[in-house]
Amino acid sequence: MPAIVTSPMDMALQEARLAADLGEVPVGAVLTDGATGDVLARAHNRVETQHDPTAHAELLVLQEAARRLGQKRLVNTDLYVTLEPCAMCAAAISLARVRRVYFGAYDPKGGGVDHGARIFQQPTCHHRPEVFGGIEESRSAALLKSFFLQRRGGRSGEGAASALE
């Protein structure tokens, strides 16, 4: 029987589903070694469970990989995340020197990469990773929309996919 290959974005989506099951905004992230594809860390949002406004999936994988590798610079790593990173996470991605960012759903309300602050386009940004948005966008957006629809008791509303609700 052939081995089941799971892409890093599929793993990030699994993490996002775990977050939703815990009542967290369903965002998942995976950080891989850019040369080998090995998974260095994976996480989901833990803002509610840790009572920490900075416990975003992206920050959690950066922290775990830095600890694991024993270094603050995560050069030649690739980040896969189900939602466009916010400004806080984008700044951390830049500081960590992540090589590439692949994200799922765009976040016009709270995003900090293609929307909002556009951190990587600022002249004060020290490192600009390559960015690829819209990877598994429909699956990522569906998780977010379902989560917020359920949270509102079935009422739809503006900005249902924004993680900053």
Side-chain angles (χ1 to χ4, degrees):
M1 179 196 271
I4 297 173
V5 177
T6 303
S7 74
M9 189 55 88
D10 284 336
M11 288 183 235
L13 285 160
Q14 289 171 350
E15 289 291 332
R17 284 189 285 279
L18 288 172
D21 291 345
L22 295 171
E24 296 279 357
V25 173
V27 177
V30 173
L31 191 74
T32 64
D33 181 301
T36 65
D38 292 342
V39 173
L40 300 173
R42 56 188 287 173
H44 54 269
N45 275 6
R46 293 192 183 116
V47 171
E48 302 299 329
T49 54
Q50 292 184 1
H51 308 288
D52 180 353
T54 69
H56 291 199
E58 301 95 309
L59 293 184
L60 296 173
V61 296
L62 294 176
Q63 292 166 357
E64 175 60 27
R67 271 192 300 274
R68 184 174 169 193
L69 298 173
Q71 57 192 35
K72 63 182 179 181
R73 301 280 188 248
L74 301 172
V75 178
N76 202 33
T77 60
D78 298 334
L79 176 67
Y80 296 81
V81 60
T82 58
L83 182 66
E84 176 184 348
C86 70
M88 173 182 68
C89 291
I93 290 163
S94 176
L95 292 170
R97 306 298 195 262
V98 171
R99 178 178 75 162
R100 292 188 184 122
V101 176
Y102 300 90
F103 69 84
Y106 289 86
D107 189 355
K109 186 175 176 183
V113 176
D114 278 359
H115 297 89
R118 295 186 167 121
I119 296 295
F120 303 139
Q121 295 175 22
Q122 299 305 314
T124 55
C125 183
H126 298 288
H127 170 76
R128 293 169 180 83
E130 291 181 70
V131 177
F132 303 91
I135 311 298
E136 295 288 358
E137 180 178 10
S138 60
R139 289 171 65 196
S140 298
L143 276 172
L144 289 156
K145 287 177 185 173
S146 173
F147 175 81
F148 286 112
L149 187 62
Q150 185 177 35
R151 194 168 165 179
R152 290 187 182 98
R155 299 181 324 271
S156 64
E158 186 178 325
S162 177
L164 298 178
E165 305 231 341

